[in-house]
Structure formats: structure tokens, C-alpha cells
């Protein structure tokens, strides 16, 4: 369903007898927020936006300046598959505005749009293709798996294939193109890969994808989670982010004369992400639990390095296939699927642009298994570590001029403040592990 104008939206709402139109946006942490309007209020919502209380949204306004406007982006209009029938429901993503109609600087979607505008002024289009992993459990009260499958297992071991199939159909109904899906390494862990798209559209699609996965699971009596590390001793869920820059129809990352088929633009971009990776990690891995995944031994990259085929490196450059110049890209492997995609894509892009603008030099690739190296060997190769916990990552971001520039002062301050609060709650919490280990002996 393709809409380009307000008239397109109003026509479809009438033709399809739509009962409600949901207005979607996210808070600073990437939690989806929504409210619904009836068709009778749609015209006002399209032309002026709908007001709401921003002081009740995480990372938005203070109570004395709480009035906000949600202005829908008509190009994101789609029917919601789990609210079909005779009176279907539709949704549109919104830009959050100040009452005077100016963009609200606390809106994560605006953070990404602002940077994409800067990229466009340089002649580039930013393309992204994330791979989001997730788990199916019996319910949201525990981690009882639906199967004991592993990587690429099929039925009857893979008991989530029907859920994935239904999810893919729902995504396609919403105009989201899927490339493939499969069972992942851990029991009851799955992945559905979306075809790459322009950065803002892909951030919208990522938010939609997460909700569709959860709604299809719920409808079938199960629970889906994008929690990075829900099961001790098993692989966590990552979000490997494929990305590239195009100039018109030309892939700016491709150079046929280079031994890696990478242009100088691509090399500087990779170097930018590598140099600034510790600073942006709190945005791409934003929860206490994120750092239970970022440990050696479970395929999650914890070391700052790049490679062609080595999946222990933080950045991988998929091998070039003749005639596939447009597919030249990098794969950033440390982010996890619970992040705010608008902010995560923005800091990745911002770090890459910093490398391009300052002509950072890309180091040599590391094709050995970094997990097998000892500290002295890693040091000899110039390999550094990502932050080991949320507090360390927050401190790295707090002193980063790049992160502050990309996020803007408002989002930057609110995000850092939230992460400090989360860490303080975590470090003072007495866990079951501590009680079991210490109570009877100390």
C-alpha cells in the first residue's frame, strides 16, 4: 500500500472502512508509543498533527513545557495485519513537533533525519540492512524454549518455523520486503532478515518488525523477546547491521581496483566506526543485559577489529561477488536488537562520516580467531576492547563530542541520565546469584 499524499490516506481510509488510525513514535530508549484517532479526526491530524503530553514520555519534555504535536508521515501509512477484518486498523509513523510546528529536538526520528539531511547535502544516500535475532518462549514469565534447535535446523527440530512464516507474511502485507529467515544458534532463537533500504525507512521498518514478531507470537499463545541475553550459557541475540553509502545509483563503497574492492570512502568509514566504537556502544547496546551478550565465547564481537571472513571481528566486509557491485557493504556486528534504531543508525553513520571527513586510516584486517588470542597477541595486533558493562560504555559516551553532536544536546543529556539511573539500580540490586552464593556462608 503506497501513499504519497494526505488525499491518498483519506481515500484509503474511506475505501477500506478503517476504524482507527494509530499514530506511532518512539521515546528516547526506542520504546514504541502510539495513540489512535478515528476517521472523523483524521483530517485535523494530517494537517495539524495531534497534541499529547510530552512530559509523560521518557526523554521528552519537562512538565512545564509538555505540549507536543505528533505529525504523521503519510508515506508510512499501512494497515496493521493483526487488526484486520471488516473494520481494519492502520498506522503511520509520526514526527514529534513543538507547538509552533518546528521539529522537537528530543524526537529520535528527528535525530536520524537531521543527520541524513547532512549526508544528502554531501550527495550520499545511506542504506541499511539489519539482521535482528530474537527468542520465542512459552510466556513472558520465564525462558522455557519451544525447541532445542540450532543454526539452520529445520522441522521437526525447528518449532518456530510456522511462527516465522506467519510473521513474514504479516511484514510483506505491510510493505516490508524479507530476504530470508532461519533458526539461529541457540535453542528457540530465530532470525528474519529484511532487505536493505534507506536509513529512515529502515529505522521505521525495524520498529515495525519488532512489533510484528511480538504480535504474531502473542496471537499464537507464545512470547517473543529481543532481550540481548535471556539464557545463561547460550548465544545472545545480535543485530548485525549491513550498511553502505550510495551516490545516485553508484555504490560509493566499491572500488574494482582495490584488493578488498573497497573505495577510500569505505575504508575511511570503517576506520571511523572502529575509532569511535567504544563511544557509540552505549547507544547500540543500551541495556545492562546487553553486556551479558558482549563477552568472549558466544560469537558476539567484543574486540575492535575488521575482517573479510572472520566473524569474531567487530566489522566484517562480505566477500565481493563479480557483478554485485551494489552489494559491497560493511557489516557492523556488535549492536543488539533491543536498541533504539533511529539513534543507533545515527551514531553508526556519524562515526563513519567522521572517518570520511577526517580521512581516518583503516588498519589491516584480522583474519585469525581473535577469541583464541591472548592479551599480548591482541595488543601486538592493535586490537582494543569494547566497554565491558553499561557503566563503562556510558562514561565513554559521556565524554564523546561525536555522540553529543550526532544526538543533539537534549537527547544526549536525557540518554546519559537514563543510563546512569539504570546502572545505579543494577549495581545496588541484590540478585538471586548473590543470595545463593553468599547468604549461607558469609
Amino acid at each position: 500500500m503506497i501513499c504519497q499524499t494526505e488525499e491518498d490516506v483519506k481515500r484509503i481510509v474511506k475505501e477500506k472502512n478503517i476504524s482507527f488510525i494509530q499514530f506511532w513514535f518512539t521515546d528516547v530508549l526506542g520504546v514504541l508509543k502510539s495513540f489512535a484517532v478515528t476517521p472523523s479526526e483524521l483530517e485535523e491530524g494530517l494537517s495539524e498533527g495531534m497534541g499529547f503530553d510530552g512530559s509523560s514520555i521518557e526523554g521528552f519534555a519537562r512538565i512545564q513545557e509538555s505540549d507536543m504535536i505528533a505529525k504523521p508521515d503519510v508515506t508510512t501509512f499501512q494497515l496493521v495485519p493483526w487488526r484486520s477484518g471488516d473494520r481494519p486498523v492502520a498506522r503511520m509513523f509520526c514526527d514529534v513537533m513543538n507547538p509552533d510546528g518546528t521539529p522537537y529536538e528530543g524526537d529520535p526520528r528527528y535525530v536520524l533525519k537531521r543527520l541524513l539531511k547532512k549526508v544528502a547535502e554531501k550527495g550520499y544516500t545511506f542504506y541499511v540492512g539489519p539482521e535482528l535475532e530474537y527468542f520465542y518462549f512459552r510466556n513472558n514469565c520465564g525462558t522455557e524454549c519451544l525447541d532445542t534447535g540450532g543454526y539452520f535446523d529445520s522441522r521437526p527440530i525447528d518449532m518456530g518455523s510456522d511462527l516465522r512464516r506467519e510473521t513474514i507474511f504479516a511484514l510483506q502485507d505491510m510493505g516490508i520486503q524479507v530476504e530470508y529467515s532461519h533458526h539461529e544458534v541457540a535453542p528457540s532463537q530465530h532470525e528474519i532478515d529484511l532487505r536493505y533500504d534507506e536509513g529512515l525507512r529502515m529505522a521505521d521498518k525495524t520498529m515495525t518488525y519488532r512489533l510484528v514478531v511480538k504480535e504474531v507470537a502473542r496471537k499464537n499463545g507464545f512470547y517473543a523477546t529481543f532481550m540481548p541475553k535471556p539464557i545463561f550459557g547460550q548465544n545472545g541475540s545480535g543485530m548485525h547491521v549491513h550498511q553502505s553509502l550510495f551516490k545516485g545509483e553508484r555504490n560509493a563503497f566499491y572500488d574494482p581496483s582495490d584488493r578488498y574492492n573497497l573505495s577510500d570512502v569505505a575504508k575511511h568509514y570503517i576506520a571511523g566506526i572502529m575509532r569511535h566504537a567504544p563511544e557509540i556502544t552505549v547507544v547500540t547496546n543500551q541495556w545492562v543485559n546487553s553486556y551479558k551478550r558482549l563477552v568472549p565465547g558466544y560469537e558476539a564481537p567484543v574486540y575492535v577489529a575488521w575482517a573479510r571472513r572472520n566473524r569474531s571481528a567487530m566489522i566484517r566486509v562480505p566477500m565481493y561477488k563479480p557483478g554485485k557491485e551494489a552489494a559491497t557493504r560493511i557489516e557492523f556486528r556488535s549492536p543488539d536488537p533491543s536498541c533504539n534504531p533511529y539513534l543507533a543508525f545515527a551514531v553508526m553513520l556519524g562515526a563513519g562520516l567522521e572517518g570520511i571527513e577526517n580521512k581516518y586510516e583503516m588498519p589491516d584486517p584480522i583474519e585469525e580467531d581473535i577469541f583464541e588470542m591472548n592479551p599480548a597477541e591482541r595488543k601486538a595486533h592493535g586490537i582494543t576492547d569494547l566497554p565491558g558493562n553499561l557503566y563503562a560504555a556510558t562514561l565513554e559516551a559521556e565524554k564523546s563530542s561525536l555522540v553529543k553532536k550526532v544526538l543533539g544536546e537534549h537527547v544526549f543529556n536525557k540518554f546519559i541520565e537514563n543510563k546512569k539511573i539504570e546502572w545505579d539500580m543494577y549495581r545496588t540490586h541484590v540478585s538471586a546469584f548473590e543470595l545463593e552464593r553468599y547468604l549461607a556462608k558469609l
Side-chain angles (χ1 to χ4, degrees), residues 40-256:
S40 63
E41 301 299 313
L42 179 60
E43 185 158 358
E44 178 183 343
L46 290 171
S47 60
E48 301 178 15
M50 301 297 289
F52 68 95
D53 177 10
S55 68
S56 298
I57 305 296
E58 179 64 49
F60 275 25
R62 296 171 296 181
I63 195 165
Q64 66 268 31
E65 50 189 31
S66 59
D67 291 340
M68 296 285 131
I69 303 294
K71 185 72 162 59
D73 178 347
V74 296
T75 66
T76 65
F77 182 90
Q78 290 288 343
L79 299 185
V80 176
W82 54 91
R83 290 285 188 271
S84 56
D86 294 336
R87 300 296 308 278
V89 172
R91 73 92 161 103
M92 289 182 282
F93 279 97
C94 294
D95 294 308
V96 180
M97 318 293 286
N98 294 308
D100 64 1
T102 58
Y104 177 55
E105 62 178 359
D107 177 15
R109 199 170 190 261
Y110 174 63
V111 169
L112 181 57
K113 287 179 73 172
R114 182 176 58 207
L115 186 58
L116 292 173
K117 181 180 178 182
K118 178 182 176 182
V119 171
E121 289 169 353
K122 296 177 181 292
Y124 293 116
T125 303
F126 178 53
Y127 285 103
V128 190
E131 301 173 350
L132 288 89
E133 299 167 346
Y134 62 93
F135 284 85
Y136 289 127
F137 295 134
R138 291 290 173 187
N139 53 54
N140 64 355
C141 300
T143 56
E144 182 184 351
C145 296
L146 305 191
D147 63 49
T148 58
Y151 191 62
F152 271 33
D153 275 339
S154 60
R155 292 184 65 89
I157 300 174
D158 173 13
M159 298 303 292
S161 59
D162 287 345
L163 293 174
R164 292 201 314 271
R165 178 175 179 270
E166 188 175 340
T167 300
I168 291 169
F169 290 155
L171 290 168
Q172 290 173 335
D173 286 344
M174 298 187 77
I176 298 175
Q177 190 172 355
V178 173
E179 289 195 326
Y180 58 87
S181 72
H182 59 89
H183 197 289
E184 258 297 340
V185 173
S188 213
Q189 187 184 36
H190 300 265
E191 177 177 311
I192 297 173
D193 295 341
L194 309 181
R195 181 164 179 78
Y196 74 91
D197 204 344
E198 181 273 334
L200 183 65
R201 288 197 295 267
M202 184 52 74
D204 291 341
K205 288 180 178 182
T206 301
M207 292 302 304
T208 304
Y209 167 96
R210 293 197 305 211
L211 184 59
V212 171
V213 167
K214 284 179 168 290
E215 284 294 328
V216 170
R218 180 192 60 79
K219 193 180 82 168
N220 287 277
F222 302 115
Y223 181 70
T225 180
F226 292 90
M227 183 178 177
K229 183 79 167 183
I231 306 177
F232 173 74
Q234 296 289 349
N235 281 23
S237 292
M239 182 180 76
H240 303 160
V241 184
H242 297 258
Q243 50 201 284
S244 59
L245 291 174
F246 273 63
K247 276 202 168 182
E249 299 297 318
R250 183 179 65 83
N251 188 339
F253 277 11
Y254 175 71
D255 182 352

Side-chain angles (χ1 to χ4, degrees), residues 276-344:
H276 296 288
E279 304 162 41
I280 68 175
T281 295
V282 77
V283 182
T284 60
N285 306 80
Q286 70 174 35
W287 308 102
V288 161
N289 183 256
S290 298
Y291 299 85
K292 305 293 178 72
R293 167 183 170 260
L294 288 181
V295 294
Y298 294 96
E299 297 190 14
V302 297
Y303 303 117
V304 179
W306 81 277
R308 302 298 302 275
R309 308 180 76 172
N310 180 6
R311 294 176 185 268
S312 66
M314 183 186 73
I315 293 176
R316 190 175 73 91
V317 178
M319 299 291 286
Y320 168 70
K321 297 179 181 179
K324 297 285 186 178
E325 291 82 4
T328 302
R329 63 198 186 278
I330 74 162
E331 178 190 5
F332 186 33
R333 296 174 58 80
S334 58
D336 68 52
S338 62
C339 66
N340 183 332
Y342 300 101
L343 302 186

Side-chain angles (χ1 to χ4, degrees), residues 124 243-245 251-275 306 308 315 317 328-330 351-365:
Y124 293 116
Q243 50 201 284
S244 59
L245 291 174
N251 188 339
F253 277 11
Y254 175 71
D255 182 352
S257 64
D258 180 72
R259 63 173 174 159
Y260 304 121
N261 297 114
L262 292 175
S263 67
D264 287 341
V265 168
K267 293 176 181 178
H268 296 322
Y269 190 97
I270 291 171
I273 290 186
M274 290 180 66
R275 180 177 299 192
W306 81 277
R308 302 298 302 275
I315 293 176
V317 178
T328 302
R329 63 198 186 278
I330 74 162
L353 288 179
E354 199 78 1
I356 294 170
E357 291 170 0
N358 294 288
K359 293 185 166 50
Y360 292 170
E361 288 297 319
M362 184 182 73
D364 292 332

Side-chain angles (χ1 to χ4, degrees), residues 1 9 12-13 16-24 34-37 42 76-84 87-93 174:
M1 185 170 296
V9 170
I12 293 173
V13 166
K16 300 289 185 180
N17 195 29
I18 289 172
S19 57
F20 294 99
I21 304 92
Q22 296 177 352
F23 283 26
W24 288 8
S34 74
F35 60 90
V37 303
L42 179 60
T76 65
F77 182 90
Q78 290 288 343
L79 299 185
V80 176
W82 54 91
R83 290 285 188 271
S84 56
R87 300 296 308 278
V89 172
R91 73 92 161 103
M92 289 182 282
F93 279 97
M174 298 187 77

